[in-house]
Amino acid sequence: TVLPLGGDITKATFTISTWFKKMHYGGWRTLTRGSNRHHHFMGNQNNNDFGVYANNNGNFRNAGFQIPAALSANSWHHFAGVSNATTNQSKLYLDGVYKGTADRATGDNIYAIGNYQGGGQRFAEYLDDFRVYGVALTDNDIAAIAAGDIDNAVPSILHTLSALKGPTGFTATGLPTGLSVNSSGLISGVTTAIGDHNVTITASNLAGTSTPQVLALSIRPNVPVIGDVNSSNVGGTSAGTNFKLI
C-alpha cells in the first residue's frame, strides 16, 4: 500500500514532518521512500549532509546543511522537508528553523517510512508524530509545528479518488473552501470548513464523462490537548493545576 502524493514520479508538492531521536549513522538515512524511486528526504552515506535523493534525476542533491552525530543521541529533535513541484526544489528544516534547499523536488508516493524498504538505511532509532501534508507549508507553519503550537499548525486534507477504464481527469463540485482536485484525482489543501460535505464527483476520459457520484466528506477539528501542566500546592489534601487547551 502506498500513500499518493500527487504530481508525477519526478516531483510533487507535499510536506513531511516528524520528531526523531538517536539518528542512525554510518550509512544512508532514509526518512521516506517511494515504491518506484526517490528517497524523499535523507542523509548522505559518506557524511552528515542532508538533502533529497532523486533517482535518475541527479541522485543525491545536497540541501547544504548537516545534522551532527551527537545532536540527537539523548534528545528529541524536529525534522521537516517541503517538496515544491512548482519551484522544483525541496526545503529542509531542523527544529523549526530553515536550513537549506535542494535543487530538486521529489515524488510521487510514500511506500516506506523510517527506512528503505529493502533495509539498511534506518533514519533513526525513534520516530514520533510523523505527518504528511498535501501542501507546501511555510516557514511559519514549520516553526509552529516544531514549537508544539497546534493552534497555528496547518491541518491538511489528502485523499485520492479512483475510477475504472483509464480516467484522464476528475471534477469535484462542492468541495469545502481551500480544497481542490487535480487531474489524477488527488483532493488536497487546507480548510477550516468543519462539518459534513456532499461532494459530487465525476471522472472523464476520451470516451466521455462518468455518471456523477456523491462523496461524503467529513472535516473534523483537532481534539484538544492539555499542555503546560504545572502542579502547585502539592502535599496537602489537594493540588491545583494550571493548564491551557491547545
Side-chain angles (χ1 to χ4, degrees), residues 21 40 89 98 153 166 187 198 213 222 242:
K21 183 179 180 182
H40 302 113
Q89 294 178 327
Y98 166 73
I187 295 175
N198 290 324
Q213 301 289 327
N222 290 329
N242 300 317

Side-chain angles (χ1 to χ4, degrees), residues 87-157:
T87 63
N88 195 27
Q89 294 178 327
S90 295
K91 299 175 68 175
L92 276 64
Y93 300 77
L94 182 65
D95 292 329
V97 178
Y98 166 73
K99 291 296 185 179
T101 298
D103 62 352
R104 295 289 190 279
T106 183
D108 64 335
N109 65 55
I110 294 176
Y111 182 77
I113 298 172
N115 203 336
Y116 170 54
Q117 51 262 44
Q121 298 182 13
R122 177 188 288 184
F123 185 82
E125 187 169 344
Y126 302 103
L127 295 178
D128 192 25
D129 194 16
F130 181 89
R131 307 181 188 186
V132 180
Y133 297 86
V135 293
L137 297 188
T138 67
D139 291 359
N140 288 339
D141 294 331
I142 300 296
I145 294 171
D149 188 354
I150 299 176
D151 287 334
N152 292 315
V154 178
S156 69
I157 304 298

Side-chain angles (χ1 to χ4, degrees), residues 23-45:
M23 179 172 284
H24 171 71
Y25 287 95
W28 294 106
R29 283 142 284 162
T30 295
L31 179 56
T32 54
R33 214 281 190 177
S35 58
N36 295 309
R37 61 175 74 170
H38 300 321
H39 307 250
H40 302 113
F41 303 109
M42 72 181 312
N44 199 332
Q45 65 174 339

